[in-house]
Amino acid sequence: MNKRSPKTVLKKETIDKRDEGNEKYFNKCKVIFSQEKYVSEAIKEDYYMKWTPTTPVFISAQTGAGKNTFIEKVLIEKMVPRKTKVLILSNRIALGRQEKGRLAEIMDRIEPRPSGERTYKQDVARRNGEMLDDLEDFGSVMIKSYQGLNASKEIFKKEYDYVIFDECHFFLADAKFNKFTYNILEKILQRYPYAIRVYMTATLSDVFIPIMKCELKERDYRNAKNYELEKSKCLPPILWGQDWKPAFWEEHLLTTGAGGAEHEAYFDCGAVIYEMERNYDHVCCRYLKAKEEKPGTVEKIGAGETLAEFIKKQIDEEGKNIGKNKWLIFVSSISVGKELRDLIGREYATLVTAKAKSRDFKKEYKDDDTKEIYQEICEKKIFSKKVVISTPVLDNGINIEDPDLKNIAILVFDKVSLLQMLGRKRGADNEQINLYIQEYRANTINAKLNLDGSVRENLARIALYKSEPRKIGDEIFERDLLFYWADNNYDKLAYNPFAEAKLNCEERFYEKMLKTDEEEDYTCLALSYDNYIRRLKNEMPCTVKSKSFEEKTIIEQLSWLGLAHTFAPENYVGVKDKEQQEQARRAAEEELFDFLEQHSIAKSIHDNHEDADALYLIQGMDQGAQERFKEAFKVLAINVFGKRENDKKKDRPYGLVVINGVLENKELPYSILSRSVKRDGLSQTFWLLVKNEK
């Protein structure tokens, strides 16, 4: 990939008024920056020596950094033999399917079932597909989906020492279509205040403050009720069960016994954050041009047409060898996915949606291979199709280790989604991946922000609920995405605070994108997790100057990967390299000159009226010839000079004034003369393309 030096713009450090009060969520946070490649190397023995139930732990690490490996190979293997119980909450059902096979082997080794009973591994092996979803109990370890937890009461009857929130960005990412993400976290914090809580994700930026709000709310509630902390539960695991209590709650140093060494413990920190270094140098980015849309509309297929043509060309070149250079394409909606699938062809492409998880899917779609492809991904981590198109059902919780998956296209304009979707591909170190991202137009972003059903409309509904709840209560909420009745008697109207937090994040993001480059110099910086980490690293915010709004949206996506400096126009799909571009330009220029030479005459118009009329009749272009000339000239001129600013309608050819304007502006030695001449007794307009004398 060609790289060029970026032009950076330093931004003034000011705080958005909407962020006033956010300081408390970062108060006394201990951030541990790590250059280690894997989570277990960064944490070491902190999970045993330093973590405490009073302080939430956040692990912010790139996908593939071994977050789940740390839980399974370190935490479970070391702590379960010490009679420790662990609850693992996962985002997607498919995540559990892949984890359970690994977990079964571990538990059979460290805490086997009684003799005569099936082993955990045998239990996993005898279950296929959805049957495996029902296997959740692994002795001292329980694994459950967030959705399943909300529907289960039995789970809360058990005690747990560690609660692992895997893919914890779920709380915000799903909040706009799952009304209960806040309730799930609230219930856990109320039921397990004395468990060590570990939040893990590759995308902590948006969800950190909302989680901390909930954590502090529950902490303040317990303090207000004068809860007495159990002395064995406010300590690090190394001291659990010992008759020991710190003299002062604010103390950091603990002594493990008479003459024992002192070590730091994290029982009075606001939060402990392990912030791992990211590296996306293995990703080679290509860009897709945005499709032109009418003002006030949101694109449907968008750049998918260009992508489909590109994939079909690759398929044609490879012939029947469709097992190589596979594609995983993420789309924002089912309608976009269906159109893209049909453009590529069902022989090569499959669309995976949330319905693929349904037990009855195969009954409804007997001739569809989606179910098999989904099961293949979940259980074997590969797929047999050339192209898998997916809605966000696969955006996290599933690992794909297919060595033939070389291309990922993400047609979703959201940082959390992009990083999670890219992270579904797991491969060998330094394995190169081609990532395709698309442009977005300003009218598309504006529509998401302001039109019906937009971010601001939903935020306005929440504001109305807070001031005049009766007006909201008069509406019907059976399919409402924000509000719901909190009990069966319809006495209490409620909404998901995490949905409001997600909408606020989207509003801020869209506002930032719609600012001009000049406004960006003076933009208000959010007191967000990303900026908090940046300040601790003493990094200055910057952006790469773009030529257009569409390029700005590409650079924004590249910045999420730390690759903004790699932006180069030649990386657009369909754009040739510089040498090829110059060759194509020269060929187009030669074709245009040949065309003009063939249709022109030397400038020699007779002064005699009759002789001039005869020249126009013999060598001039009548109306039919004029139309053919106009259409051909426009195509050739655009190939050489590109589109003019006024070239909005593709099908409208250039007129006489425009053609002469192009010839004059580009200093071409030609011009068109027009004359009305009688032919067969009727006056008709003829053109002469004349070559001007130097």
Side-chain angles (χ1 to χ4, degrees):
M1 177 186 294
N2 294 321
K3 298 186 179 182
R4 54 180 59 187
S5 299
K7 295 180 181 179
T8 60
V9 179
L10 298 184
K11 300 179 180 178
K12 291 191 175 181
E13 289 280 355
T14 55
I15 300 298
D16 194 307
K17 290 183 178 180
R18 290 173 292 190
D19 296 316
E20 291 178 356
N22 278 0
E23 293 92 344
K24 66 180 179 181
Y25 304 117
F26 300 102
N27 186 33
K28 299 176 70 175
C29 284
K30 183 175 183 63
V31 181
I32 302 169
F33 293 103
S34 178
Q35 299 289 330
E36 300 289 354
K37 186 174 182 179
Y38 297 111
V39 168
S40 57
E41 296 170 353
I43 293 176
K44 299 182 176 63
E45 292 187 329
D46 290 4
Y47 69 95
Y48 178 58
M49 305 287 287
K50 300 181 179 182
W51 293 359
T52 72
T54 57
T55 301
V57 176
F58 293 85
I59 301 175
S60 174
Q62 184 175 347
T63 51
K67 294 185 290 293
N68 287 300
T69 300
F70 162 73
I71 297 300
E72 296 164 10
K73 296 289 187 180
V74 179
L75 185 64
I76 289 176
E77 288 207 19
K78 300 292 185 182
M79 297 305 294
V80 166
R82 296 174 180 269
K83 308 302 180 185
T84 300
K85 297 187 181 299
V86 181
L87 171 62
I88 302 174
L89 299 174
S90 63
N91 192 347
R92 307 294 182 189
I93 293 174
L95 172 67
R97 293 175 187 171
Q98 292 188 355
E99 271 189 325
K100 286 171 184 176
R102 301 191 302 266
L103 186 58
E105 293 185 2
I106 294 171
M107 297 308 293
D108 281 336
R109 186 174 69 254
I110 65 174
E111 190 185 68
R113 283 172 170 169
S115 178
E117 293 185 15
R118 274 193 301 267
T119 65
Y120 291 113
K121 189 174 180 180
Q122 289 172 337
D123 213 356
V124 170
R126 65 187 289 269
R127 296 169 182 256
N128 295 319
E130 291 85 357
M131 291 177 62
L132 186 56
D133 299 340
D134 299 328
L135 179 59
E136 300 172 332
D137 192 339
F138 290 82
S140 293
V141 179
M142 175 72 74
I143 181 169
K144 204 166 185 69
S145 70
Y146 290 111
Q147 297 86 342
L149 176 74
N150 199 45
S152 173
K153 294 181 180 179
E154 293 298 317
I155 190 72
F156 293 104
K157 295 180 180 179
K158 298 184 179 181
E159 296 290 339
Y160 295 100
D161 302 294
Y162 286 85
V163 178
I164 312 300
F165 298 93
D166 194 14
E167 307 286 1
C168 68
H169 58 272
F170 153 84
F171 292 115
L172 246 63
D174 284 25
K176 289 173 63 177
F177 53 86
N178 181 342
K179 301 173 186 177
F180 304 105
T181 60
Y182 183 85
N183 298 104
I184 292 169
L185 180 57
E186 188 178 44
K187 286 179 182 178
I188 286 290
L189 296 182
Q190 290 172 355
R191 175 63 183 85
Y192 300 110
Y194 305 128
I196 292 177
R197 300 172 303 286
V198 184
Y199 299 90
M200 306 193 306
T201 180
T203 48
L204 190 56
S205 53
D206 288 349
V207 79
F208 177 77
I209 290 178
I211 288 177
M212 286 301 295
K213 283 183 178 180
C214 196
E215 280 274 352
L216 292 179
K217 171 178 169 288
E218 292 305 316
R219 191 181 305 173
D220 293 342
Y221 174 78
R222 289 197 301 272
N223 292 341
K225 292 290 184 180
N226 293 319
Y227 274 55
E228 297 216 356
L229 296 172
E230 300 174 26
K231 62 183 179 181
S232 64
K233 285 297 186 180
C234 65
L235 305 175
I238 190 176
L239 297 176
W240 284 359
Q242 297 186 29
D243 188 14
W244 191 96
K245 185 175 182 180
F248 299 99
W249 186 247
E250 290 77 13
E251 287 182 351
H252 278 290
L253 300 179
L254 302 178
T255 304
T256 55
E262 290 184 333
H263 64 273
E264 184 182 21
Y266 302 147
F267 52 70
D268 71 330
C269 299
V272 178
I273 304 167
Y274 294 86
E275 180 63 37
M276 307 283 288
E277 194 71 23
R278 266 74 163 172
N279 188 320
Y280 291 97
D281 289 345
H282 66 289
V283 178
C284 178
C285 295
R286 307 257 343 246
Y287 330 136
L288 302 164
K289 282 284 186 183
K291 181 182 178 183
E292 294 186 13
E293 296 290 337
K294 295 179 181 179
T297 63
V298 180
E299 82 282 352
K300 293 184 179 179
I301 187 63
E305 292 181 39
T306 303
L307 181 63
E309 292 170 1
F310 185 77
I311 293 173
K312 287 196 292 184
K313 181 180 178 181
Q314 184 187 84
I315 292 173
D316 291 340
E317 291 174 351
E318 294 179 353
K320 296 186 178 297
N321 187 15
I322 63 172
K324 299 293 183 182
N325 293 314
K326 294 179 183 177
W327 287 78
L328 176 61
I329 304 173
F330 287 100
V331 294
S332 58
S333 67
I334 294 175
S335 61
V336 171
K338 286 181 177 179
E339 191 171 353
L340 186 56
R341 176 197 61 194
D342 294 342
L343 284 170
I344 297 171
R346 294 186 181 223
E347 178 184 356
Y348 304 105
T350 292
L351 173 62
V352 177
T353 69
K355 288 185 178 180
K357 297 186 291 185
S358 169
R359 296 173 187 265
D360 298 324
F361 180 87
K362 197 60 183 176
K363 295 179 182 178
E364 298 178 37
Y365 304 92
K366 294 182 180 179
D367 298 327
D368 198 305
D369 62 358
T370 301
K371 188 71 172 180
E372 287 76 7
I373 297 297
Y374 179 72
Q375 294 288 0
E376 206 174 26
I377 293 172
C378 292
E379 296 172 8
K380 299 179 182 178
K381 306 179 186 180
I382 62 172
F383 54 85
S384 52
K385 279 281 191 177
K386 175 72 171 181
V387 181
V388 169
I389 305 167
S390 176
T391 59
V393 66
L394 291 184
D395 71 346
N396 52 46
I398 290 181
N399 297 336
I400 300 177
E401 299 176 0
D402 196 326
D404 294 322
L405 174 57
K406 301 295 184 183
N407 307 287
I408 299 176
I410 301 177
L411 312 184
V412 180
F413 196 36
D414 177 81
K415 178 180 179 180
V416 172
S417 297
L418 185 142
L419 294 178
Q420 290 295 332
M421 291 168 176
L422 178 60
R424 293 314 97 213
K425 164 65 176 177
R426 305 294 174 88
D429 290 346
N430 302 317
E431 180 182 358
Q432 292 295 306
I433 293 296
N434 300 313
L435 173 63
Y436 295 79
I437 54 180
Q438 71 173 4
E439 289 181 337
Y440 295 86
R441 296 188 178 274
N443 63 281
T444 299
I445 305 302
N446 187 64
K448 292 177 180 292
L449 185 61
N450 292 306
L451 292 188
D452 292 343
S454 67
V455 169
R456 283 181 174 158
E457 182 185 64
N458 283 317
L459 284 173
R461 293 185 68 214
I462 292 175
L464 180 62
Y465 162 80
K466 291 178 178 179
S467 61
E468 300 180 78
R470 287 188 178 181
K471 289 188 177 181
I472 296 294
D474 290 338
E475 300 179 22
I476 298 174
F477 298 99
E478 290 180 359
R479 296 185 179 180
D480 195 281
L481 294 178
L482 284 179
F483 300 97
Y484 64 96
W485 299 107
D487 56 51
N488 294 330
N489 295 322
Y490 303 99
D491 289 334
K492 187 177 180 182
L493 188 65
Y495 78 101
N496 185 351
F498 283 160
E500 182 181 18
K502 178 64 174 175
L503 289 166
N504 280 323
C505 289
E506 291 180 348
E507 181 184 41
R508 189 190 304 279
F509 171 64
Y510 295 146
E511 286 175 348
K512 183 189 86 168
M513 294 307 305
L514 292 171
K515 289 182 184 293
T516 64
D517 286 343
E518 290 76 18
E519 289 174 319
E520 284 185 5
D521 294 346
Y522 301 95
T523 189
C524 292
L525 293 175
L527 185 53
S528 63
Y529 177 81
D530 286 345
N531 283 328
Y532 173 70
I533 294 298
R534 176 182 55 76
R535 289 169 189 165
L536 291 180
K537 289 183 174 182
N538 197 29
E539 294 178 349
M540 292 296 293
C542 66
T543 185
V544 179
K545 279 287 189 180
S546 59
K547 295 180 180 179
S548 67
F549 181 88
E550 290 75 20
E551 287 183 350
K552 177 181 174 182
T553 65
I554 291 292
I555 293 169
E556 174 69 19
Q557 294 173 82
L558 292 173
S559 73
W560 301 340
L561 303 170
L563 299 175
H565 63 283
T566 68
F567 174 77
E570 53 264 34
N571 289 328
Y572 277 91
V573 170
V575 176
K576 305 175 180 65
D577 62 38
K578 290 183 179 180
E579 184 177 349
Q580 290 175 317
Q581 284 180 328
E582 181 59 25
Q583 290 175 352
R585 190 196 65 77
R586 287 198 297 267
E589 191 176 71
E590 185 176 343
E591 187 177 2
L592 174 61
F593 289 159
D594 288 345
F595 173 79
L596 293 173
E597 191 67 26
Q598 291 171 11
H599 287 79
S600 68
I601 65 169
K603 186 176 181 180
S604 178
I605 306 298
H606 298 281
D607 293 333
N608 182 283
H609 183 77
E610 291 182 358
D611 291 341
D613 285 352
L615 181 64
Y616 273 93
L617 285 171
I618 296 171
Q619 298 192 41
M621 291 179 272
D622 61 13
Q623 186 173 359
Q626 291 169 28
E627 294 301 321
R628 292 190 292 273
F629 180 89
K630 289 191 292 185
E631 291 180 1
F633 178 83
K634 179 180 179 180
V635 172
L636 293 171
I638 288 176
N639 287 343
V640 178
F641 307 117
K643 284 188 177 183
R644 304 175 312 126
E645 290 184 2
N646 295 328
D647 289 342
K648 293 181 179 179
K649 294 188 176 181
K650 296 180 181 179
D651 300 330
R652 178 176 293 177
Y654 289 166
L656 176 62
V657 175
V658 173
I659 294 174
N660 277 335
V662 171
L663 294 172
E664 181 180 358
N665 293 334
K666 301 304 180 183
E667 299 182 350
L668 300 177
Y670 300 91
S671 61
I672 294 177
L673 301 178
S674 175
R675 186 182 182 96
S676 179
V677 180
K678 282 191 176 183
R679 186 169 69 175
D680 299 330
L682 298 175
S683 294
Q684 299 181 36
T685 299
F686 286 82
W687 285 3
L688 275 178
L689 178 66
V690 297
K691 189 170 184 178
N692 302 323
E693 298 177 357
K694 293 183 179 179

